[in-house]
Amino acid sequence: MADRPVPLTEDEITVALESVPGWRRVGDEITRSYGIRYHGGVAMIVHVADVERLISHHADVDLRWGKVRFGITTHDVGHKLTEADFDLARRIDAIAQAHLAEPLDE
C-alpha cells in the first residue's frame, strides 16, 4: 500500500510554487488555465486523465469554450497541498505544451 501523502508547510508551498511557474494558489488548491479550442481541450483532458490514472492523483477540470482550467489539491489529506499536487501540475504543463495549449494569465 502506498504511503499517505503529507501536507506541505507554508514554507514548502512557497518553494513548490516556484517550481511551477504560471500556477497560482487559491486557498488550498493550485490552479492554472489554458486557452485551447474546445475539441483540443477534450483531447488534452483525456491525455491528462490517462496520466492521472497511472499516478492515482486527479485534478478538478473545468472545460469551457476556448479554455480549460485545472485545480489541484489532495483530497486524501483534507484538501491540503502535497508534493503530489505539484508533480501533477508539472505533468499537466508538459501535456498542455504537447497539445499546443496557450497558458492564460487569470
Side-chain angles (χ1 to χ4, degrees), residues 9-51:
T9 66
E10 287 299 318
D11 288 342
E12 291 170 330
I13 291 168
T14 299
V15 170
L17 275 170
E18 293 172 5
S19 76
V20 288
W23 287 81
R24 64 186 179 96
R25 182 179 181 186
V26 179
D28 287 320
E29 177 181 70
I30 55 173
T31 183
R32 189 165 194 191
S33 296
Y34 301 88
I36 189 168
R37 293 180 65 182
Y38 185 83
H39 291 91
V42 171
M44 182 174 134
I45 290 167
V46 169
H47 191 164
V48 168
D50 283 344
V51 170

Side-chain angles (χ1 to χ4, degrees), residues 45-98:
I45 290 167
V46 169
H47 191 164
V48 168
D50 283 344
V51 170
E52 290 173 332
R53 181 179 50 81
L54 293 173
I55 65 172
S56 296
H57 196 58
H58 302 86
D60 293 327
V61 181
D62 181 22
L63 176 63
R64 304 293 174 113
W65 192 257
K67 178 173 95 170
V68 63
R69 178 193 166 277
F70 295 92
I72 309 172
T73 189
T74 301
H75 301 117
D76 294 349
V77 293
H79 301 274
K80 299 294 182 188
L81 289 168
T82 68
E83 180 51 43
D85 301 316
F86 294 93
D87 173 63
L88 180 54
R90 288 185 286 275
R91 292 170 188 262
I92 290 171
D93 282 341
I95 292 167
Q97 185 175 12

